[in-house]
């Protein structure tokens, strides 16, 4: 192999950036590989995209596609075509894809067909819910990958159950939590709750964006109604994802009035609000993990989770996709729930992931 091996990282949507940043930074520090970052443009609004590049240790992408919105087929296909072109030109020695969004699967498929090895960062998560588009992205990406970097033992078990060889799996921990821990002090100092007239430890933070919930007119209306009821007991703050924004606008008279609604927030400000909350209500995957790492109570509005370690070890409670249960939250908060940090969610997953990649590429220091 002439020169240093080239590692190309693929990102496309908001949760990808926090996962890839610690790995990109660490591989850069160690200096044994060349790196490039390619962005598919799946997320394109400044507030769910560029603001993250300003805050995280990520370079501006070396290549930018403009996949944008569309059906799953359109989005995945556009990313596949665009990524194949760059991979063909650059001939990377490894393609790294984080998470479970449509860009993740597109990157893995484009690389595998060009016989370029794939590394899946955050491998092995399973909700066992085939109605979630992300579940297909996870499963297929794992089976296209030569190196599977996992964040919990449970993920390793899922991969073993699907017949994936144990020598292609490395349990490295959670790089998203590396990013969180690197920023949490600054986030606490920011005390973003003050900007909304809130007191630390005395408000509920809400995020909702899953199609299963927000694209169902009855469910979203009932959920907003239940959150409005909670807001009579404890202030509720709701930063709204672009998908959800469109659905709330369609609610006419039954939209939020008691709770505070804001546009999506930059990373540090959102972490600040998580750290200061009494509880978080969410249907996001990443926020179940971040709240566990912060020790903040989390109520998940889904029937399942691909992140069971946040329930067995962390602060997460699966309320179910049942808006009626949201009103239980103030009462539940009166009862203490103990939690511990899952193993290897210690802020050092990036170096372990970098070492696993160097071993695969045969450049690891002796
Ligand atoms: C995507 C991911 C999801 C991830 C989420 C984080 C898939 C299948 N889904 O879902 O796993 O948790 O990102 O945010 O990859 N839109 C904008 N501006 C943008 C991006 C999207 O207005 O910058 C609008 C789109 O027009 C669309 C909606 O938001 O109507 C949804 O966007 P899309 O990328 O399809 O999926 P997400 O719900 O963001």
């Amino acid at each position: 192999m002439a020169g240093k091996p080239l590692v190309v990282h693929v990102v496309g949507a908001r949760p990808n950036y926090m996962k890839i940043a610690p790995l990109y930074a660490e591989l850069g520090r160690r200096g044994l590989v060349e790196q490039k970052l390619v962005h598919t443009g799946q997320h394109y609004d400044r507030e769910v995209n560029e603001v993250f590049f300003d805050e995280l240790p990520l370079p501006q992408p070396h290549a930018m596609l403009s996949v944008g919105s569309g059906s799953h087929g359109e989005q995945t296909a556009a990313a596949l075509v665009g990524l194949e072109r760059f991979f063909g030109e650059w001939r990377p020695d490894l393609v790294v894809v984080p998470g479970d969004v449509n860009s993740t699967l597109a990157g893995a498929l484009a690389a595998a067909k060009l016989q370029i090895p794939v590394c899946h960062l955050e491998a092995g998560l399973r909700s066992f819910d085939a109605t979630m588009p992300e579940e297909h992205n996870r499963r297929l990406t794992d089976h296209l990958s030569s190196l599977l970097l996992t964040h919990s033992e449970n993920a390793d078990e899922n991969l073993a159950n699907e017949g994936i060889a144990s020598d292609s799996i490395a349990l490295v921990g959670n790089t998203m939590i590396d990013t969180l821990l690197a920023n949490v002090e600054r986030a606490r100092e920011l005390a973003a709750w003050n900007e909304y007239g809130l007191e630390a430890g005395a408000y509920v933070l809400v995020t909702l964006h899953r199609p299963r919930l927000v694209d169902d007119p009855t469910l979203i209306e009932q959920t907003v109604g239940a959150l409005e009821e909670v807001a009579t007991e404890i202030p509720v703050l709701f930063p709204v994802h672009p998908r959800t924004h469109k659905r709330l606008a369609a609610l006419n008279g039954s939209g939020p009035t008691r709770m505070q609604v804001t546009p999506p927030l930059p990373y540090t400000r959102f972490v600040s609000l998580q750290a200061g909350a009494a509880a978080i209500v969410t249907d996001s995957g990443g926020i179940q993990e971040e709240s566990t790492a912060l020790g903040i109570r989390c109520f998940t509005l889904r029937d399942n989770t691909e992140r069971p370690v946040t329930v067995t070890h962390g602060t997460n409670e699966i309320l179910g996709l049942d808006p009626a249960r949201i009103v239980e939250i103030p009462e539940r908060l009166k009862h203490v729930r103990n939690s511990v940090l899952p193993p290897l969610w210690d802020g050092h997953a990036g170096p372990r992931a970098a070492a696993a990649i160097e071993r695969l590429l045969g450049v690891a220091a002796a």
Side-chain angles (χ1 to χ4, degrees), residues 119-172:
C119 166
H120 187 200
L121 177 62
E122 196 189 73
L125 301 194
R126 297 288 182 271
S127 64
F128 304 101
D129 177 354
T131 66
M132 281 181 89
E134 292 84 357
E135 183 72 355
H136 301 287
N137 293 341
R138 293 177 194 123
R139 205 179 273 278
L140 293 168
T141 301
D142 283 339
H143 286 268
L144 291 166
S145 296
S146 312
L147 176 59
L148 297 100
L149 303 178
T150 56
H151 78 21
S152 54
E153 276 178 17
N154 177 263
D156 288 25
E157 285 159 21
N158 290 336
L159 295 174
N161 289 341
E162 290 176 21
I164 290 181
S166 62
D167 58 3
S168 60
I169 303 168
L171 175 54
V172 296

Side-chain angles (χ1 to χ4, degrees), residues 13-15 42-46 48-49 68-70 72 75 100-103 133-134 137 209-211 241-244 246-247 284-285:
R14 180 166 67 175
Q42 178 176 339
H43 279 182
Y44 45 88
D45 280 357
R46 179 168 165 74
V48 286
N49 184 28
S69 303
H72 286 276
Q75 212 171 45
D100 59 12
V101 301
N102 289 338
S103 303
E134 292 84 357
N137 293 341
H209 77 280
R210 294 227 162 263
H241 182 278
R243 171 190 288 281
T244 313
K246 294 177 191 168
R247 306 303 177 220
S284 150

